[in-house]
Amino acid sequence: MEFSGKLFIFLLLPLLLQISTCDAYANPIYQACNKNFTSDNLLKDSINKTLSSLSAKTSLDSFGISSFGDGFFTIYGLSQCRGSLTVDQCTLCITEATKKIRTLCPNSAETRIWYDHCFLHYDTTRFLGEPDTSFTRVFSSGLIAADPIKFNDDLVDLVYRMKAMTVGIEEKFSIYQADVSKNLSIIATAQCTRDLEELACRQCLDKLSENFSSYCKYHLDCYVISSSCVLRYGVTDFSKIPVSLSPLVFAAGSD
Ligand SMILES: *[C@@H]1O[C@H](CO)[C@@H](O)[C@H](O)[C@H]1NC(C)=O
Ligand SMILES: *[C@@H]1O[C@H](CO)[C@@H](O)[C@H](O)[C@H]1NC(C)=O
Ligand SMILES: *[C@@H]1O[C@H](CO)[C@@H](O)[C@H](O)[C@H]1NC(C)=O
Ligand SMILES: *[C@@H]1O[C@H](CO)[C@@H](O)[C@H](O)[C@H]1NC(C)=O
C-alpha cells in the first residue's frame, strides 16, 4: 500500500466527552430480533438474568459479557459502549438499550441493538470471541465530498492506519482527527467488541472495510456497523454532537 504522505492524522485521547442531548440514547440506530419463540419462561428467565448482569457489569467497566441458563436455555450476552464514553454515560445508554430490547424484541432469543453510543447483543449461540460481520449495515447523511477522488484516497489511507492502531490495543477503540482534502477535517473511529483478540478484531475490521470502500466511497460521513466491530467517520464531531444518519444501503446477503 502506498501512502500519499500528505494525510495529517491526530490520535485523539479519549477525553471525557460532553454529550449535548439526552436524545443521544433515545433512539436505536438499528435493531434485529431473531429466533423468536412463542412462550418460554426458562428462556425468558435466562434473558432477564443476562440483561441484569450486563447492566451491572457495564456500570463498572463500560463493557460486559455474561451467560445464564442451561443447555438449550443458555443465553450469552455482551454489552459495550463507544470507547470515548464515561462509565456513567455508558450506564445510561446500556440501561436504555436493555429496556428497549425488551419492548422491541420481547420474544426473541437472538437480538442485537445499536445506538450511537452503545451496543447490546444476546443469543443462544455462544458468539463471544468470534468476529461476526453478519448484520452489516451502512449509514450516511448522503453528503458527497467536493473533491471525491482525493477524499477517497485519503479515506483509504486513514482506514488502513486506524485498523492497524485499533487491533493491538486492549480497548479495541481509537478515535482520530484527520485533515483530508486540504481544507477538510474529519473525525474517525474504529472499534471492535472487547471479547475479540487481535486477529479476530483485524478480521472483522478487514471485512467491514470492504463494505466501507464500496458503499462509503465519496461520502462526507459514513457509519458501518456489525455485530463485532464498527467503523465511522464524519465532518461533524459525532462523538459530541448527535448526527442524523440514514441507511445508505443494506449490504445484501450478509445476514
Ligand atoms: C421477531 O419478533 C419481532 C417483534 O417481536 C419482529 O419485529 C421480528 O421481525 C421477528 N423476527 C423474525 C425473524 O421473524
Ligand atoms: C422477565 O423480566 C420482565 C421485565 O422485568 C418481567 O415482566 C418478566 O416476568 C420476567 N420473566 C421471567 C420469566 O422472569
Ligand atoms: C474546500 O475545497 C473544495 C475544493 O477545493 C471547495 O469546493 C470547498 O468549498 C472548500 N470547502 C471549504 C469549507 O472551504
Ligand atoms: C459487505 O460485507 C459482507 C460481509 O463481509 C460481504 O459478504 C459483502 O460481500 C460485502 N459487500 C461488498 C459490496 O463489499
Side-chain angles (χ1 to χ4, degrees):
M1 166 148 307
E2 200 180 299
F3 291 124
S4 64
K6 284 182 210 143
L7 189 59
F8 193 48
I9 300 175
F10 310 84
L11 179 61
L12 299 179
L13 294 172
L15 300 170
L16 305 187
L17 299 170
Q18 295 296 324
I19 292 165
S20 56
T21 152
C22 312
D23 284 353
Y25 310 117
N27 294 306
I29 294 166
Y30 185 70
Q31 77 279 335
C33 321
N34 285 286
K35 297 188 186 163
N36 290 349
F37 53 84
T38 44
S39 81
D40 195 321
N41 281 337
L42 281 174
L43 217 40
K44 276 212 160 165
D45 185 50
S46 302
I47 292 169
N48 280 358
K49 286 177 174 153
T50 302
L51 290 178
S52 304
S53 163
L54 289 177
S55 291
K57 287 186 176 173
T58 307
S59 69
L60 297 174
D61 195 24
S62 296
F63 170 70
I65 51 178
S66 253
S67 80
F68 281 93
D70 295 311
F72 288 129
F73 307 106
T74 308
I75 291 287
Y76 302 89
L78 177 148
S79 54
Q80 180 163 311
C81 290
R82 183 186 297 150
S84 52
L85 253 59
T86 64
V87 167
D88 287 348
Q89 290 167 338
C90 182
T91 303
L92 282 177
C93 194
I94 293 297
T95 302
E96 183 59 30
T98 54
K99 256 193 254 164
K100 259 305 198 316
I101 208 82
R102 286 183 210 267
T103 49
L104 292 171
C105 313
N107 297 306
S108 306
E110 179 193 1
T111 76
R112 295 165 173 84
I113 188 166
W114 289 263
Y115 283 79
D116 226 353
H117 296 98
C118 66
F119 170 63
L120 177 71
H121 178 189
Y122 64 77
D123 197 345
T124 49
T125 304
R126 194 185 188 287
F127 59 87
L128 303 168
E130 300 293 330
D132 177 8
T133 48
S134 63
F135 297 95
T136 297
R137 297 290 184 270
V138 186
F139 300 86
S140 168
S141 69
L143 295 172
I144 302 294
D147 187 358
I149 306 291
K150 170 77 166 66
F151 185 81
N152 210 57
D153 286 350
D154 284 345
L155 205 57
V156 169
D157 183 350
L158 176 65
V159 168
Y160 181 85
R161 295 199 208 183
M162 277 205 304
K163 284 195 291 193
M165 176 61 82
T166 308
V167 299
I169 54 180
E170 189 174 347
E171 298 77 18
K172 296 285 183 285
F173 171 79
S174 58
I175 180 163
Y176 298 83
Q177 186 176 345
D179 292 333
V180 295
S181 303
K182 296 196 178 80
N183 62 357
L184 197 62
S185 178
I186 62 172
I187 300 283
T189 65
Q191 184 171 25
C192 291
T193 55
R194 272 162 57 188
D195 57 315
L196 299 193
E197 301 285 351
E198 180 168 346
L199 178 62
C201 178
R202 171 168 292 285
Q203 286 170 344
C204 187
L205 289 173
D206 279 348
K207 271 204 167 178
L208 220 60
S209 54
E210 290 169 23
N211 287 134
F212 210 65
S213 32
S214 43
Y215 295 122
C216 299
K217 213 172 190 172
Y218 311 144
H219 285 81
L220 278 179
D221 47 38
C222 201
Y223 189 13
V224 187
I225 61 171
S226 75
S227 303
S228 293
C229 61
V230 299
L231 279 171
R232 184 172 187 176
Y233 69 88
V235 286
T236 310
D237 187 354
F238 51 82
S239 67
K240 298 186 182 114
I241 305 156
V243 180
S244 173
L245 301 174
S246 311
L248 189 59
V249 65
F250 282 178
S254 58
D255 292 349

